[in-house]
Amino acid sequence: MFVAACAVLLAVIMVLHSHIPNAIGNLGSLTETFLPWLGLLVPVLLVLALVRRSATALIAVLAPSVVWLNLFGGQLTDKTAGGGDLTVATHNVNAENQDPAGTARDVAASGADVLALEELTEEAVPTYEKALASTYPYHSVQGTVGVWSKHPLSGVRGVDLDMGWTRAMRATVTAPAGQVAVYVAHLPSVRVKMEAGFTARQRDRSADFLGEAIAREPLRNVVLLGDLNGTMNDRALNAVTAQMRSTQGAAGSGFGFSWPASFPMARIDQIMVKGLKPESSWTLPRTGSDHLPIAARVRVTTGG
């Protein structure tokens, strides 16, 4: 009965994850951040059920299996397609990166038309500017984030995240297929502490400010690039995720985990779109950062 009870509990947690309260240590957001990994408990429970030769336990294990497949089965298939007229990429380059020039060359090799970088330091910016100058004739750095583009930029400004310094920006990219509003953001980090749980209050507040800015955007085609320090499952990012699509979820293959680079366990780096149609989405090879860069190919849409 113990194995069966654990299987039912696991299924209930996955089904009702949005109802797990955040009042105590942001437990709900912590669960949602690593929600896909709960699937690893299913084969463990299956083995225990087989060892105990319990028909009840075997039947019970079907419940979390079905729930997990319903939640994440679609991400096991390859949804990438050809086409698209704009390639975008984003990378948290890590303030402590020992090889910024090499990192710049690596991400430029992705062929991205628009490249966003986060966690830029004042000392490293000239290195990135020099290394990317030949590929990207247009660029702007606002605070600790920047955008590099093969197409002209206009309407560049910082975006207020209620942090006291600039960690987000907005620019219009005039691509051959049309204008695209590009937002680059690096939301505050979260911490997992024994005494306080999953501390993310500042991240959550900044996500609300970012969501409000995107909601006010007048252009039809919008892309958000950046390190949001949260996954698409995390309810704390609803102000953003409720109005945008993940390119990985819509046109990727697999989960596209991006952090930590040494053993990716969560996709906290995001490419989200509104208006644009995702065609493909993928992770790029590791650089000198603790994050993996990610990229997507999208189609600029027109009309109503």
Side-chain angles (χ1 to χ4, degrees):
M1 290 299 293
F2 175 75
V3 175
C6 289
V8 172
L9 177 61
L10 178 60
V12 169
I13 289 174
M14 288 192 288
V15 168
L16 301 178
H17 65 84
S18 62
H19 297 282
I20 299 174
N22 264 341
I24 302 175
N26 270 28
L27 183 60
S29 286
L30 178 59
T31 302
E32 289 165 339
T33 297
F34 299 104
L35 194 61
W37 292 94
L38 292 182
L40 292 179
L41 296 177
V42 173
V44 174
L45 292 172
L46 179 61
V47 169
L48 291 175
L50 290 171
V51 169
R52 294 186 176 223
R53 298 183 180 181
S54 170
T56 301
L58 283 171
I59 294 172
V61 170
L62 286 176
S65 303
V66 170
V67 172
W68 191 92
L69 287 172
N70 182 60
L71 290 172
F72 303 111
Q75 292 183 254
L76 300 179
T77 60
D78 187 350
K79 299 179 289 298
T80 58
D85 43 38
L86 189 71
T87 301
V88 297
T90 181
H91 191 25
N92 178 327
V93 295
N94 189 356
E96 299 178 3
N97 193 323
Q98 298 299 304
D99 184 20
T103 295
R105 288 192 297 270
D106 289 342
V107 291
S110 68
D113 300 298
V114 179
L115 171 65
L117 300 181
E118 305 87 49
E119 209 165 293
L120 295 167
T121 64
E122 187 176 349
E123 296 77 18
V125 165
T127 301
Y128 286 107
E129 290 176 329
K130 181 179 179 181
L132 295 171
S134 61
T135 305
Y136 300 98
Y138 310 97
H139 88 280
S140 176
V141 174
Q142 303 287 317
T144 61
V145 298
V147 61
W148 277 258
S149 175
K150 294 179 180 178
H151 311 300
L153 297 176
S154 60
V156 178
R157 57 175 173 79
V159 174
D160 180 21
L161 295 183
D162 191 36
M163 295 183 62
W165 71 97
T166 303
R167 284 177 49 143
M169 64 177 293
R170 180 255 183 228
T172 296
V173 172
T174 303
Q179 289 190 325
V180 178
V182 175
Y183 284 79
V184 183
H186 183 194
L187 296 188
S189 299
V190 298
R191 297 287 184 267
V192 180
K193 301 179 181 178
M194 291 300 294
E195 72 279 7
F198 194 62
T199 58
R201 224 170 264 177
Q202 179 64 63
R203 190 277 311 266
D204 299 351
R205 185 162 59 249
S206 293
D208 290 341
F209 273 72
L210 178 60
E212 291 171 5
I214 293 172
R216 293 192 300 268
E217 174 57 50
L219 290 183
R220 170 187 173 85
N221 291 294
V222 185
V223 60
L224 169 61
L225 307 165
D227 174 6
L228 302 191
N229 273 306
T231 68
M232 292 295 293
N233 295 315
D234 191 338
R235 75 195 69 170
L237 301 184
N238 278 351
V240 176
T241 58
Q243 57 179 318
M244 307 192 82
R245 301 172 68 193
S246 163
T247 59
Q248 186 66 24
S253 176
F255 290 96
F257 294 147
S258 63
W259 177 89
S262 56
F263 187 83
M265 296 182 66
R267 186 178 176 87
I268 63 174
D269 301 276
Q270 304 289 351
I271 299 177
M272 298 186 204
V273 297
K274 182 165 65 171
L276 298 159
K277 180 184 177 184
E279 296 286 359
S280 56
S281 186
W282 63 96
T283 56
L284 296 168
R286 186 177 180 181
T287 70
S289 172
D290 57 340
H291 292 243
L292 293 179
I294 58 175
R297 183 81 173 163
V298 299
R299 184 178 300 280
V300 178
T301 62
T302 58

